[in-house]
Each structure stands twice: as structure tokens, then as C-alpha cells.
């Protein structure tokens, strides 16, 4: 494979108004921030999305820290490294610790660039197989049971067949009881984003009677052992999100009995290569995985769809239709929900989307072009 030649990278810090606020146990977002990367090489542009947001709630990274890390460390290191494939980005960055969201945004741009240079879709490059993937919807914390029931009704009406509900202390058992009373059979799961402690085990056991697909990240991200204790007491499978940053974390968590399902997000694990590796590892161990979401623009959503087309993604992803997130997106075409609660996987070259340059300019609150000098 030939060496990637990057001539320049453009960073955009964008801020986009969500169609409706998204509340989790760690905070509420009205506007979503992220970084968009444009990687220019050999007259082609590859695009990546770094899902770090405005505040360090889900991750310690923010759009500002990712900007700093990319501009001052990752991009200069990349400029010096004779990169042959996106998977090698990790080798270019071995000197640096952490900041997976920044890594992943950069790696996504490399995948898009590779696909465009080779005339292949990301799905093909990753080894994806499906033409469409099953999806569900992730509903934020609502102010009471009836507000939640209204949301659930709306999304079921739109055709989403799997519902995920954000929970936190004070907004959990009664909400789930209310949903189950009306919708006995729907696939239902909950996400606590680390809102509980092991002392809440008895309380969380109250969820077992509602036949949930899984409970996502009930405890702190570094509490693998407590998750293992909790899983022993719960019948409902625990699924880890924030705790899993690598294949190694996946192995440790599974060996410890801390979970039975893994949520895979390319951002959290430092990119699509590691995401695929976690998928491969779990497939070999027959552990179900699914693709999580970070309220992505159509850029990141295209990448998630390609990833979720791999054969081991056996549960519906948190990949909703584009219209749910933003009134105007920065890339087209928008993704729509099929009647069978699936979304089609893009099959054009690279990510398979077109950037709307006007929208990108309009939503950018900061931008910078970094020109790469001749290598070595
Ligand atoms: O924990 O899965 C999560 C969004 C932002 C940060 C964390 C999470 C989420 C979601 C949204 O659940 C899923 C989506 O993009 O629709
Ligand atoms: Mg989650």
C-alpha cells in the first residue's frame, strides 16, 4: 500500500442546535459541539468527526481539549510519520497517552481518504456485510413518567422498534414500570451513564422484573470489580459503555464477569480500527455487541452505519434517523428510517456522504488550516 500523503488539515469547531435538548445523568445538552476534520491529500479530501463535546461529561475530553491535542501533538506527529494505512495511526501516536475521541476523529478522516483514493466504501474497507442495519432510539431523561410515555409513543409511531431510556436516581423504576405497563413486548433497555454506586444494588435489582434487554453503564467507568459484583446480583445483562476503551478492557471486563454485552463507539475506543478489533474479539467469544451513538452529524453517523454492518453487531444500534438530531446537517444525504426499523448503510466511496460547505461554515465557531511541510 502506498504512503498517505497529507498536504493539509483543516479543523472546524462546530456548534449545532439539537432539535430538542438531550438530558443524561451527567447533564443536559441544547447545542452540540464537535470538531470536524478535513484531511487533504493528493487532491482528495477525507472528512472525520471528533465527538468530544462542550463539557467533560461523557468523557474527560472536550472539543477544546481535542483541538489542542490534535493541533499541538497528533497532527505534527502524523506529519512526521510515513503512514500506510489508517490502522497505523496508533503507531504514529505511541508517544501520547489517552484522548481517544481526538484520535478517532483523525482516524475517521484517514478512512474516508483511503476509501476515496481506492474507490471503496468504508463498509467494504471494514469488512461490513449488511446493506441495512437495525437501529433503535435513545431517549433522554424526561421530567416525569407521562412525558416519557409521550416520547416513547412518538418514536414507536415513527417505526423505531427498540427503545433505550436514560435513567438516573429519582427517574428510573417508575418510568420503566410505566413504559412496560403500556408496551409489554417491546425491546427496552436503559442507560445510567454511571449514575449509581454499588450501594444501589438492591435498588437496581428492582429493574429485573421489567424484562430489559440490558442495563448500560450503571456504575463508574473505572468500577470493573463493582460491576462484576452487581452483575452477580442482577438477572438483567449489564452492558458497558464508558468503561471500555480497548480490546484489553473488553477482555478484562468479560473475564471479570462485569458485563455480558458491549456497546462499541468508535470515538470512545480511539477509532474504527479498535472498534472493529473489539467487534472481532467479541464475535469470537460470542458476546453480543451493538453500536452506540454520540449525537453525531451525518459524518459520524455514516461511519457508525458502516461499522454496524459488520456481522457481530447483533443488537440494534443507537443510530437514529438524521431528522431526529439537527434541522440542518453539515453533510448529505440524510439517513432515514426504513419501515423495518433499519437504516441503509452508505455504499458510495469513503464515508459515502457529501459535505455541505455552506452549513459547515455557518455552524463553525472556530476554524484553522494547518499546512503540512514536505515529510522528513
Ligand atoms: O451514553 O450512549 C450514551 C449521547 C451522548 C453521550 C452518551 C450517550 C449518548 C446517547 C445518544 O445515548 C445516542 C445517539 O446518538 O442517538
Ligand atoms: Mg451509554
Amino acid at each position: 500500500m502506498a504512503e498517505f500523503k497529507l498536504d493539509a488539515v483543516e479543523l472546524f469547531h462546530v456548534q449545532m442546535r439539537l432539535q430538542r435538548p438531550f438530558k443524561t445523568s451527567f447533564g443536559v445538552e441544547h447545542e452540540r459541539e464537535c470538531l470536524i476534520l478535513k484531511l487533504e491529500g493528493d487532491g482528495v479530501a477525507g472528512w472525520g468527526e471528533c465527538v468530544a463535546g462542550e463539557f467533560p461529561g461523557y468523557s474527560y475530553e472536550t472539543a477544546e481539549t481535542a483541538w489542542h491535542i490534535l493541533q499541538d501533538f497528533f497532527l505534527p506527529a502524523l506529519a512526521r510519520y510515513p503512514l500506510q494505512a489508517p490502522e497505523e495511526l496508533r503507531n504514529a501516536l505511541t508517544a501520547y497517552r489517552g484522548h481517544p475521541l481526538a484520535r478517532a476523529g483523525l482516524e475517521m478522516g484517514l478512512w474516508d481518504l483511503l476509501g476515496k483514493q481506492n474507490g471503496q466504501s468504508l463498509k467494504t474497507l471494514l469488512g461490513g456485510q449488511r446493506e441495512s442495519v437495525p437501529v433503535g432510539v435513545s431517549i433522554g431523561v424526561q421530567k416525569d413518567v407521562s412525558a416519557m410515555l409521550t416520547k416513547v409513543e412518538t418514536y414507536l409511531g415513527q417505526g423505531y422498534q427498540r427503545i433505550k431510556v436514560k435513567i438516573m436516581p429519582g427517574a428510573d423504576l417508575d418510568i420503566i414500570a410505566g413504559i412496560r405497563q403500556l408496551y409489554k413486548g417491546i425491546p427496552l433497555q436503559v442507560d445510567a451513564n454511571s449514575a449509581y454506586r454499588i450501594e444501589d444494588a438492591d435498588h437496581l435489582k428492582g429493574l429485573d422484573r421489567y424484562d430489559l434487554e440490558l442495563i448500560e453503564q450503571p456504575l463508574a467507568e473505572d468500577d470493573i470489580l463493582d460491576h462484576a459484583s452487581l452483575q452477580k446480583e442482577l438477572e438483567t445483562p449489564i452492558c458497558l459503555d464508558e468503561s471500555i476503551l480497548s480490546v484489553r478492557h473488553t477482555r478484562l471486563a468479560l473475564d471479570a464477569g462485569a458485563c455480558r454485552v458491549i456497546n462499541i463507539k468508535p470515538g470512545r475506543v480511539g477509532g474504527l480500527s479498535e472498534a472493529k478489533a473489539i467487534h472481532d474479539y467479541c464475535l469470537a467469544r460470542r458476546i453480543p455487541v451493538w453500536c452506540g451513538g454520540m449525537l453525531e452529524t451525518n459524518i459520524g453517523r455514516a461511519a457508525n452505519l458502516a461499522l454496524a454492518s459488520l456481522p457481530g453487531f447483533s443488537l440494534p444500534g443507537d443510530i437514529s434517523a438524521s431528522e431526529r438530531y439537527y434541522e440542518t446537517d453539515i453533510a448529505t444525504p440524510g439517513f432515514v428510517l426504513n419501515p423495518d426499523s433499519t437504516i441503509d448503510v452508505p455504499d458510495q466511496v469513503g464515508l459515502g456522504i457529501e459535505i455541505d460547505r455552506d452549513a459547515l461554515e455557518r455552524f463553525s465557531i472556530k476554524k484553522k488550516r494547518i499546512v503540512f511541510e514536505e515529510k522528513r
Side-chain angles (χ1 to χ4, degrees):
M1 211 182 283
E3 192 176 315
F4 269 109
K5 279 202 195 61
L6 285 186
D7 305 319
V9 174
E10 207 166 342
L11 291 176
F12 302 84
H13 182 163
V14 305
Q15 187 183 59
M16 293 163 72
R17 182 150 207 94
L18 285 159
Q19 298 271 36
R20 46 199 83 69
F22 191 74
K23 185 174 176 191
T24 57
S25 58
F26 57 73
V28 56
E29 276 177 280
H30 297 264
E31 308 271 344
R32 176 171 178 273
E33 294 189 14
C34 67
L35 300 185
I36 303 300
L37 294 87
K38 180 188 181 204
L39 275 49
E40 300 170 21
D42 281 337
V44 186
W47 294 87
E49 174 170 349
C50 163
V51 296
E54 180 189 359
F55 57 90
Y58 173 80
S59 156
Y60 60 81
E61 293 181 79
T62 67
E64 293 271 4
T65 70
W67 182 287
H68 161 55
I69 294 294
L70 285 163
Q71 169 187 267
D72 298 324
F73 301 105
F74 290 1
L75 291 174
L78 182 61
R80 290 190 300 268
Y81 192 88
L83 194 74
Q84 314 251 328
E87 293 95 325
E88 294 180 1
L89 179 62
R90 71 180 70 220
N91 304 335
L93 304 181
T94 45
Y96 305 119
R97 189 191 298 249
H99 301 278
L101 306 189
R103 276 169 206 260
L106 184 52
E107 201 212 40
M108 192 189 300
L110 293 171
W111 281 107
D112 188 33
L113 196 58
L114 178 67
K116 285 170 173 164
Q117 287 175 351
N118 288 8
Q120 286 178 304
S121 68
L122 178 61
K123 173 184 143 179
T124 303
L125 289 173
L126 292 175
Q129 296 179 354
R130 286 176 239 171
E131 273 161 31
S132 63
V133 298
V135 301
V137 64
S138 169
I139 306 178
V141 174
Q142 303 295 318
K143 70 174 194 308
D144 54 31
V145 181
S146 93
M148 181 58 85
L149 291 176
T150 305
K151 289 280 176 197
V152 172
E153 188 187 359
T154 304
Y155 288 120
L156 290 174
Q158 289 174 6
Y160 292 101
Q161 288 171 9
R162 181 278 263 159
I163 300 290
K164 162 171 144 182
V165 164
K166 295 285 188 182
I167 56 167
M168 59 191 286
D172 47 25
L173 296 177
D174 50 342
I175 299 225
I176 302 308
I179 297 173
R180 260 299 174 242
Q181 206 165 26
L182 284 184
Y183 307 103
K184 301 258 174 334
I186 59 162
L188 181 63
Q189 60 194 61
V190 297
D191 185 358
N193 290 109
S194 300
Y196 299 92
R197 299 166 308 147
I198 189 64
E199 290 77 14
D200 299 317
D202 282 339
H203 176 73
L204 291 171
K205 269 197 262 182
L207 288 170
D208 272 341
R209 51 199 289 226
Y210 299 113
D211 188 26
L212 302 176
E213 303 286 297
L214 54 88
I215 170 169
E216 187 177 341
Q217 198 68 41
L219 310 177
E221 63 184 52
D222 55 358
D223 270 355
I224 294 294
L225 293 180
D226 281 346
H227 276 111
S229 312
L230 183 62
Q231 182 66 92
K232 279 204 196 76
E233 301 205 29
L234 288 184
E235 279 166 42
T236 308
I238 291 177
C239 167
L240 292 177
D241 174 353
E242 286 91 327
S243 292
I244 304 296
L245 305 183
S246 62
V247 176
R248 191 168 51 83
H249 286 159
T250 306
R251 174 171 57 81
L252 296 176
L254 290 171
D255 286 353
C259 65
R260 297 187 194 138
V261 182
I262 302 284
N263 165 323
I264 302 182
K265 293 180 182 173
R268 193 192 70 229
V269 305
L272 291 157
S273 306
E274 190 70 18
K276 179 177 159 52
I278 294 173
H279 158 275
D280 295 350
Y281 179 80
C282 288
L283 185 58
R285 275 185 78 158
R286 297 175 191 280
I287 299 295
V289 304
W290 54 287
C291 182
M294 290 292 288
L295 310 174
E296 286 89 348
T297 73
N298 283 338
I299 300 177
R301 193 168 334 284
N304 286 346
L305 286 163
L307 178 68
S309 73
L310 292 168
F313 282 83
S314 54
L315 297 170
D318 273 352
I319 312 174
S320 303
S322 303
E323 55 140 33
R324 173 176 178 241
Y325 300 94
Y326 308 102
E327 197 173 276
T328 309
D329 206 295
I330 54 178
T332 56
F335 298 104
V336 295
L337 187 71
N338 299 323
D340 61 347
S341 196
T342 64
I343 295 183
D344 294 345
V345 180
D347 55 10
Q348 309 290 321
V349 295
L351 290 168
I353 39 139
E354 290 290 331
I355 304 303
D356 178 340
R357 295 303 304 239
D358 288 344
L360 179 59
E361 293 292 331
R362 202 147 21 98
F363 296 132
S364 291
I365 56 177
K366 189 175 160 189
K367 57 181 185 178
K368 181 169 184 176
R369 190 178 150 86
I370 298 162
V371 178
F372 281 33
E373 302 296 324
E374 195 59 35
K375 263 181 201 169
R376 282 159 295 151

